[in-house]
Amino acid sequence: MFEKSKWISLPRNVVLGHDVLSQTREVVADTHLTGTPLVVTSATPKAVAADRIVAQFEDAGDDPALVVVDEASFDAVEDVLATAREVDADFLVGVGGGKPIDIAKMASDHLGSAFVSVPTAASHDGIVSGRGSVPEGDTRHSVAAAPPVAVVADTEIIADAPWDLTTAGCADIISNYTAVKDWRLANRLQNVPYSEYAGALSQMTAEMLVDNADSIKPELEESAWVVVKALVSSGVAMSIAGSSRPASGSEHLFSHQLDRIAPGKALHGHQVGVGSILAEYLHSGEQGEWRAVKQALESLDAPTTADELGVTEDEVLEALTSAHEIRDRYTILGSGISEPAAREVARTTGVI
Ligand SMILES: NC(=O)C1=CN([C@@H]2O[C@H](COP(=O)(O)OP(=O)(O)OC[C@H]3O[C@@H](n4cnc5c(N)ncnc54)[C@H](OP(=O)(O)O)[C@@H]3O)[C@@H](O)[C@H]2O)C=CC1
Ligand SMILES: O=C(CO)COP(=O)(O)O
Ligand SMILES: [Zn+2]
């Protein structure tokens, strides 16, 4: 008898476009959410969007609360949980970049309440994913969490955000190429379950973004549209897989280590982009596709070198040689690469 089963959770409403932020209350009502909203945000997104969302809920006669977070950590999740209990929140609204959205996602999962995702930048593909990413000590957790019931992505706000944030989102998508290669490898060598649908969706998302690279330009609202659609699509791939595997492989392990070794130097998306150049080289060698990945990143104004990331040669080498230790996730890094091998890949690809 066939007993396999799978539960895929996806958002009910994905609302994308010009000035859709002003429809946030309406989108929430359409999902039949009622009661007290708790808006979870960080400093800049508060000024750019969250204060306006709070005002909308107030005008509608709801009794909204707001909490500001500044890092992706379990402590921040605990702080949000404490506020949610204090104000008796019925649902959470995450407003900002990847950090506040991840925290809101994980806190709402703990509370068993719904969560609405309002990205203010196209900087990461966690907008709709059913995962949270949290560093803790020597490791980095990929935490299962319910995906948002609704997404409100205002392309006017996103296009107004610094261009660097958009190029980071593009690089997070381009990293899907190596993430899928690592996932297939782990399937072949370690019998890690692989989803053809999630893998194909993730890879196709990267291909479409690269094919449209010419149309992605600063301050163009159409560009925000193209990038956010790709980020949503990549998040859906993670939700189908029930894991971040379609969008996170060795290039992400490298970035997570860089976060520990050289904290706060570069954006997540930019780090995983450079990690992808290195990972492509490791997968297919000198004649492989690393040049195409590097070219795609360059054409999107994303960093391709240690210098452009603002990190040193030694930090790159340390991150690359220790990346396999950060998480139990089989990738092309296997049980680790030696310092001379890391130096060779980083030099040949021009990363250092
Ligand atoms: N769960 C998942 O599946 C995924 C999770 N992630 C996680 O997301 C995080 C990376 O996302 P990222 O967005 O780079 O991180 P942040 O949330 O830290 O945002 C990056 C920066 O952008 C600023 N910002 C956001 N919106 C605007 C705006 N409209 N105008 C000006 N500045 C703005 C933030 O301001 P401020 O400093 O005020 O917050 C912050 O300084 C990482 O923690 C990563 O692990 C990434 C991909 C997938
Ligand atoms: O950043 C991610 C996908 O882009 C997912 O993060 P993890 O590597 O923590 O799973
Ligand atoms: Zn990522």
Side-chain angles (χ1 to χ4, degrees):
M1 194 161 82
F2 183 75
E3 291 184 77
K4 194 173 165 186
S5 73
K6 187 168 174 77
W7 190 320
I8 300 173
S9 297
L10 298 168
R12 172 184 165 127
N13 289 330
V14 177
V15 181
L16 164 68
H18 184 82
D19 195 31
V20 294
L21 192 85
S22 61
Q23 296 170 44
T24 307
R25 173 63 173 66
E26 202 183 314
V27 175
V28 165
D30 187 73
T31 59
H32 306 294
L33 285 178
T34 53
T36 302
L38 172 61
V39 175
V40 180
T41 190
S42 57
T44 318
K46 177 180 184 297
V48 169
D51 286 341
R52 279 167 61 195
I53 293 174
V54 168
Q56 272 178 48
F57 284 117
E58 281 169 351
D59 290 349
D62 305 320
D63 190 14
L66 181 138
V67 59
V68 175
V69 295
D70 63 4
E71 55 171 19
S73 66
F74 289 119
D75 283 349
V77 175
E78 285 305 322
D79 289 348
V80 171
L81 287 173
T83 310
R85 289 179 185 125
E86 207 177 294
V87 303
D88 207 7
D90 292 294
F91 62 95
L92 270 56
V93 185
V95 183
K99 289 177 184 174
I101 287 181
D102 268 1
I103 292 164
K105 192 188 291 178
M106 290 182 282
S108 66
D109 200 68
H110 251 81
L111 294 164
S113 64
F115 148 69
V116 176
S117 172
V118 184
T120 57
S123 48
H124 65 99
D125 60 3
I127 295 169
V128 308
S129 76
R131 314 297 303 179
S133 181
V134 190
E136 188 185 40
D138 290 349
T139 187
R140 179 86 175 205
H141 302 277
S142 173
V143 184
V149 293
V151 180
V152 179
D154 189 317
T155 46
E156 189 181 15
I157 291 176
I158 292 168
D160 262 1
W163 173 234
D164 263 5
L165 294 175
T166 307
T167 66
C170 292
D172 207 12
I173 296 293
I174 288 172
S175 81
N176 289 5
Y177 283 122
T178 46
V180 173
K181 285 187 180 179
D182 279 323
W183 194 13
R184 282 184 179 280
L185 184 76
N187 173 255
R188 286 197 299 273
L189 299 187
Q190 303 282 316
N191 215 22
V192 167
Y194 178 77
S195 156
E196 289 289 349
Y197 279 107
L201 177 60
S202 172
Q203 193 177 329
M204 183 195 73
T205 303
E207 274 158 16
M208 286 181 65
L209 186 94
V210 171
D211 289 348
N212 283 299
D214 285 353
S215 67
I216 302 172
K217 299 270 180 274
E219 289 166 37
L220 259 192
E221 208 169 326
E222 288 85 347
S223 303
W225 176 274
V226 171
V227 181
V228 173
K229 278 204 304 185
L231 295 168
V232 167
S233 171
S234 188
V236 167
M238 287 190 255
S239 293
I240 292 174
S243 135
S244 62
R245 270 282 191 185
S248 172
S250 50
E251 72 302 314
H252 270 67
L253 301 184
F254 166 77
S255 166
H256 297 335
Q257 266 308 38
L258 219 41
D259 280 339
R260 296 185 53 240
I261 295 162
K265 293 277 174 61
L267 290 164
H268 166 84
H270 289 163
Q271 293 179 175
V272 303
V274 171
S276 282
I277 301 173
L278 301 167
E280 274 292 359
Y281 182 95
L282 292 173
H283 271 286
S284 21
E286 225 268 312
Q287 299 308 318
E289 283 158 342
W290 65 270
R291 283 191 183 82
V293 166
K294 186 171 181 173
Q295 209 171 16
L297 291 167
E298 278 167 353
S299 75
L300 287 157
D301 288 347
T304 58
T305 66
D307 253 12
E308 288 168 358
L309 284 181
V311 300
T312 65
E313 194 171 310
D314 284 349
E315 286 166 342
V316 163
L317 296 178
E318 192 187 337
L320 191 53
T321 50
S322 62
H324 64 289
E325 292 166 1
I326 198 161
R327 172 184 290 167
D328 184 18
R329 173 165 295 193
Y330 192 85
T331 69
I332 191 70
L333 298 169
S335 55
I337 69 171
S338 69
E339 205 268 351
R343 195 176 287 278
E344 168 76 15
V345 52
R347 284 242 165 98
T348 311
T349 54
V351 167
I352 61 171

